[in-house]
Amino acid sequence: MSSSAASSPRRFQLPLLDRYVIRQLLLGLVGITGGAVALIWLMQSLRFVSLVVDRGLSLRVFLELTSMMLPSFVAVILPITTFLVVLFGYQRMSGDRELTVMRAAGLSPFELARPGISCAIFATLLCYILNLWLVPVSYHAFRRYEFQIRNKMAAFLLQDGVFTQLSKDMTVYVRTRDRSGEMHGVLVEDDRDPDARATILAERGTMVVVNDQPRVVLFNGSRQEIDRHTGRLNVLTFTRNTIDLTQNKHDTAEVRDAAEMSIRELLNPDPHEVAARDRGKFAVEAWRRLTSPLTAMSFAMIALFTVLSGAFSRHGNITRPLTAVLVVVGLLALSLMLQNLAGRNLHLVPLIWATAVLPALFCGVLLFLPELRARLKGDRHGA
């Protein structure tokens, strides 16, 4: 009875310490990741402010559009924020001598690192969920919504007395518009066909939607074109004419981006969607999605090795954390370089995997191998 009572505190001490450290790490991870995502979202959303200011889109539409980019932001920065949380979380515990107390209580390096590894495993699994499912789905929805706004909704936001550039090849001017929506004094500069650039004038016009594409029906006007071969001005008068206000035909089709494709589509792309010269880039995007979550574990192991392998310093030690930061920055730069090179030479793909996995294995061996050797030696002597 007494032996079980004596072992009871020891049995529940480790889970309690794990919960304490993991809670601190997860709270820090949520806080730092949320702050970084908010900052990136603010910077990226500035390019959509013109849709609100110039074209009168509502704030709700702006928030819906930009919020679809958040999963991709989280997937990119989560390995980095995991590294920062583990590094500075353990560094704080070292400075407060909490790690010293834990070591004095008999905790091994693996037991000390277990909360950080648990946090890294959580970040890795979350990155896989984001990269393999949520990011492609959200980015596809973002592209469709942006396409709808720029190519469909924008046509209904023509302002009176303003030259509105609907695309790089089309500009529309409306003198006035009445309450029924009918436009008066319409001018359209249509440069979508370089061989037949036209200036269209009409007394009045109205907006219609055909197959989800915006069109304007013009009445009592003229179409003026300059013949490229003769240089003569050709004028065609009309009583009724319909003009498609979308961009070029190859722009109106929603060309899929690599970020919105699944892993299977990236590794086996449709020849009608992806040119042969671009297949390497799409394959590298698939391997990036599979390897980038593993960097969360590698970066966390670098942070754990940095703190747990060093001796306690009463005056603090900035050299080791700074070295860890520089190593992670170097790994990020190396990963980006390998991805760019692998897009042209797929034989370099194994190096991408090595960059993502080997740092975790290397730091794990250096950190836990002495403990493992000591245990094996103790078992041999005990036998």
Side-chain angles (χ1 to χ4, degrees):
M1 182 69 68
S2 61
S3 62
S4 62
S7 62
S8 178
R10 179 65 178 176
R11 183 183 307 166
F12 291 96
Q13 184 180 10
L14 289 179
L16 180 62
L17 289 175
D18 284 359
R19 288 196 300 268
Y20 166 73
V21 179
I22 289 176
R23 182 170 61 251
Q24 299 297 320
L25 294 177
L26 290 181
L27 289 176
L29 183 63
V30 171
I32 295 179
T33 304
V37 168
L39 180 61
I40 297 175
W41 172 82
L42 181 62
M43 296 174 60
Q44 292 294 321
S45 61
L46 291 178
R47 59 193 179 102
F48 299 102
V49 172
S50 61
L51 295 177
V52 178
V53 176
D54 298 336
R55 302 192 176 183
L57 292 185
S58 65
L59 181 61
R60 180 185 62 83
V61 174
F62 171 77
L63 294 176
E64 289 178 355
L65 177 65
T66 55
S67 63
M68 295 177 184
M69 300 186 295
L70 294 181
S72 60
F73 298 159
V74 176
V76 171
I77 68 172
L78 190 56
I80 301 175
T81 55
T82 301
F83 163 74
L84 295 176
V85 166
V86 173
L87 176 63
F88 292 105
Y90 273 80
Q91 193 72 23
R92 180 193 61 79
M93 290 191 294
S94 177
D96 295 341
R97 302 190 181 183
E98 294 180 9
L99 293 181
T100 303
V101 174
M102 294 179 185
R103 286 193 178 99
L107 299 184
S108 64
F110 177 75
E111 292 171 327
L112 292 174
R114 187 163 52 193
I117 295 176
S118 301
C119 180
I121 291 175
F122 169 77
T124 301
L125 294 177
L126 182 58
C127 280
Y128 270 117
I129 294 174
L130 291 169
N131 282 348
L132 300 183
W133 172 61
L134 193 55
V135 169
V137 171
S138 63
Y139 189 73
H140 178 66
F142 165 77
R143 292 256 303 176
R144 287 176 58 89
Y145 201 17
E146 183 186 22
F147 179 86
Q148 179 184 13
I149 291 173
R150 292 190 182 277
N151 295 316
K152 301 175 186 177
M153 293 178 60
F156 295 92
L157 301 174
L158 301 176
Q159 302 179 21
D160 297 350
V162 176
F163 287 90
T164 303
Q165 187 173 5
L166 298 183
S167 67
K168 64 180 180 180
D169 300 320
M170 178 173 288
T171 302
V172 178
Y173 174 84
V174 177
R175 186 177 68 247
T176 58
R177 180 185 298 179
D178 56 28
R179 293 183 178 180
S180 63
E182 187 175 62
M183 299 173 290
H184 300 273
V186 182
L187 180 149
V188 179
E189 183 69 25
D190 188 357
D191 297 333
R192 290 175 294 183
D193 187 356
D195 296 329
R197 298 182 177 181
T199 300
I200 305 169
L201 302 173
E203 294 182 1
R204 58 188 179 91
T206 183
M207 299 295 306
V208 296
V209 177
V210 179
N211 297 327
D212 291 333
Q213 299 294 334
R215 298 182 180 182
V216 59
V217 181
L218 302 177
F219 301 94
N220 302 329
S222 64
R223 179 185 180 92
Q224 304 175 11
E225 296 182 9
I226 296 180
D227 193 321
R228 292 185 56 190
H229 303 287
T230 63
R232 296 178 56 184
L233 177 64
N234 299 325
V235 180
L236 173 66
T237 60
F238 58 84
T239 58
R240 178 188 174 96
N241 188 22
T242 302
I243 300 176
D244 186 359
L245 293 184
T246 55
Q247 302 177 17
N248 291 323
K249 294 302 180 182
H250 65 273
D251 292 331
T252 58
E254 296 182 68
V255 180
R256 299 182 65 194
D257 190 83
E260 55 185 314
M261 294 184 178
S262 64
I263 296 294
R264 181 181 59 83
E265 292 174 323
L266 291 172
L267 295 177
N268 300 285
D270 187 349
H272 298 91
E273 293 184 353
V274 181
R277 66 177 183 274
D278 296 330
R279 290 190 176 184
K281 298 178 181 179
F282 281 73
V284 170
E285 170 65 18
W287 296 121
R288 184 198 65 80
R289 292 190 198 174
L290 294 173
T291 57
S292 61
L294 299 176
T295 59
M297 178 61 70
S298 291
F299 294 169
M301 289 302 302
I302 293 174
L304 291 171
F305 174 77
T306 300
V307 179
L308 297 180
S309 64
F312 172 74
S313 177
R314 181 181 303 176
H315 304 288
N317 187 0
I318 192 62
T319 304
R320 297 178 68 87
L322 181 59
T323 302
V325 172
L326 294 178
V327 169
V328 169
V329 171
L331 289 175
L332 289 173
L334 178 61
S335 178
L336 291 176
M337 182 184 69
L338 290 176
Q339 291 173 21
N340 292 331
L341 294 177
R344 298 186 291 268
N345 186 1
L346 292 179
H347 293 91
L348 298 177
V349 169
L351 295 180
I352 300 178
W353 282 93
T355 305
V357 176
L358 289 183
L361 298 177
F362 181 74
C363 292
V365 169
L366 294 181
L367 190 58
F368 304 136
L369 186 59
E371 174 191 356
L372 181 61
R373 287 179 176 176
R375 287 189 176 182
L376 293 176
K377 186 180 295 186
D379 292 341
R380 290 176 182 175
H381 290 301

